[in-house]
Amino acid sequence: VTTEVDAALRSANEVLFVDTGLATPAFLAARCPRITPLFEDSYAESGARLSSYHHMAARTLASALDHPPVVFAMHGHPTVFSYPAFLVRELATELGLEVRVLPGISAHDTVLAALWIDPSVRGLLQYEATDLLLRRRALLPDVPTLIWQIGLVESRLYSKARSRPERFHALRDYLLQSYPQGHRAIAIYTSPHPRVPPTRFEFAIEEMPSHAEHLHAGFTLYLPPAVERPIADADLLARLDDPAHLARVTFSSE
Ligand SMILES: C[S@@+](CC[C@H](N)C(=O)[O-])C[C@H]1O[C@@H](n2cnc3c(N)ncnc32)[C@H](O)[C@@H]1O
């Protein structure tokens, strides 16, 4: 939560939130007199996730019409792997309501910190696990890659059930088309609370199914680069430290 989000929570007439963190209700209640948990009401075992998102958006908009301003809060960043925020915006626009989105600390941030990844060095590729398989998206084994929502792969239905190894067979096979046997990957769930330690499993890609039971909905898979991409533009490399080149591409600073 940033200071900007903190101010929005304090000025809201209601905060509707989707989060199961134990500390979340107390945190929000200290900032807003009316807090409404949406998680339990929205999700049903084996129910369509899309229906859950419709429910969250409908509840938020009903409140926004009745006693604005309201906040719709969820863990992480609202536009990162989170369709409900887009749904709220779409419906609110139809109703003539104003919507602002405020950035939050995402798993994107916590995973980069936990694994010491700097995207400036080799870039960073990110896909959603099921989308990767559906579209056969291109993998680049020289680029660090994050695969989101591995624990949910191959289903749009909500479930608390643990996964069987079979869930990961197609994902494993697809990754092995681009990465060598034995290439090590890391499944990571960064700490959601100061008292909860992070969870991390490191395994060769072909071993992923044997970790199925532990790979819950909160995990992200990190694939470190398997190969180095050589420099293709030697002329540009030579110009990088050349003051004459800098002078050619900039205005005089005097
Ligand atoms: C529905 S998305 C929500 C992401 C959230 N909006 C954000 O910005 O972090 C859930 C996915 O985010 C990733 N994720 C969420 N929390 C995580 C954590 N603590 N550690 C690693 N990945 C996490 C996982 O890939 C998970 O399947």
Side-chain angles (χ1 to χ4, degrees), residues 24-46:
T24 304
F27 177 84
L28 295 175
R31 286 157 179 79
C32 180
R34 184 167 176 185
I35 64 165
T36 306
L38 292 179
F39 190 92
E40 293 298 335
D41 278 6
S42 304
Y43 288 106
E45 183 63 28
S46 300

Side-chain angles (χ1 to χ4, degrees), residues 75-77 80-82 106-107 111 148-149 188-190 217-220:
H75 66 274
H77 189 295
V80 174
F81 292 83
S82 171
S106 172
V111 167
W148 292 63
Q149 303 195 153
I188 186 161
Y189 179 58
T190 61
F219 274 90
T220 299

Side-chain angles (χ1 to χ4, degrees), residues 28-80:
L28 295 175
R31 286 157 179 79
C32 180
R34 184 167 176 185
I35 64 165
T36 306
L38 292 179
F39 190 92
E40 293 298 335
D41 278 6
S42 304
Y43 288 106
E45 183 63 28
S46 300
R49 285 179 176 273
L50 202 55
S51 310
S52 314
Y53 304 153
H54 288 149
H55 179 83
M56 294 168 198
R59 290 283 305 271
T60 303
L61 289 161
S63 292
L65 286 169
D66 187 62
H67 45 269
V70 303
V71 167
F72 175 52
M74 66 204 79
H75 66 274
H77 189 295
T79 68
V80 174

